[in-house]
Amino acid sequence: MNVRLNEDFMLSLESNPTTGYVWEAIFDSAFLDLKKKDFKAFDEKSVGAGGMEIFTFLPIKAGKTEITMVRKRAWESSPLEERSIPVEIAK
């Protein structure tokens, strides 16, 4: 993923928090700031509907870094799923 310094970007991942599984972002805070985490249901009228977890990041330092997205329940140590996203931040 190529992004620009001081310009917000978003990562969106399919999710259903009612199952207890949510996405967690692991990243180097020297390069990125997590500004916001939201959930947008596919069908807002249905209780327990799946949707998208949306993470908004602000790049604060130019260079190469990585965001590791981990999907797990808060009380469990092993993730159900893990994804690594390389990020290159340009000036």
Side-chain angles (χ1 to χ4, degrees):
M1 173 174 272
N2 295 311
V3 299
R4 295 190 56 86
L5 187 64
N6 298 317
E7 291 184 14
D8 290 354
F9 70 95
M10 293 186 290
L11 289 178
S12 300
L13 298 162
E14 198 166 321
S15 179
N16 190 338
T18 61
T19 63
Y21 287 99
V22 294
W23 288 100
E24 174 185 334
I26 301 167
F27 58 93
D28 186 341
S29 60
F31 287 93
L32 300 168
D33 180 29
L34 178 60
K35 292 183 68 181
K36 189 164 71 169
K37 177 183 175 184
D38 285 326
F39 177 77
K40 176 85 171 153
F42 292 135
D43 178 4
E44 294 182 14
K45 295 178 184 175
S46 298
V47 175
M52 300 296 283
E53 279 190 73
I54 305 162
F55 294 78
T56 303
F57 291 94
L58 176 66
I60 55 176
K61 179 181 174 184
K64 293 182 181 182
T65 189
E66 183 174 271
I67 302 171
T68 301
M69 301 302 296
V70 177
R71 186 173 167 222
K72 67 180 191 120
R73 292 178 171 147
W75 61 89
E76 295 178 339
S77 57
S78 298
L80 176 67
E81 188 176 352
E82 188 172 311
R83 298 180 187 179
S84 294
I85 300 134
V87 179
E88 186 163 345
I89 304 165
K91 290 184 179 180

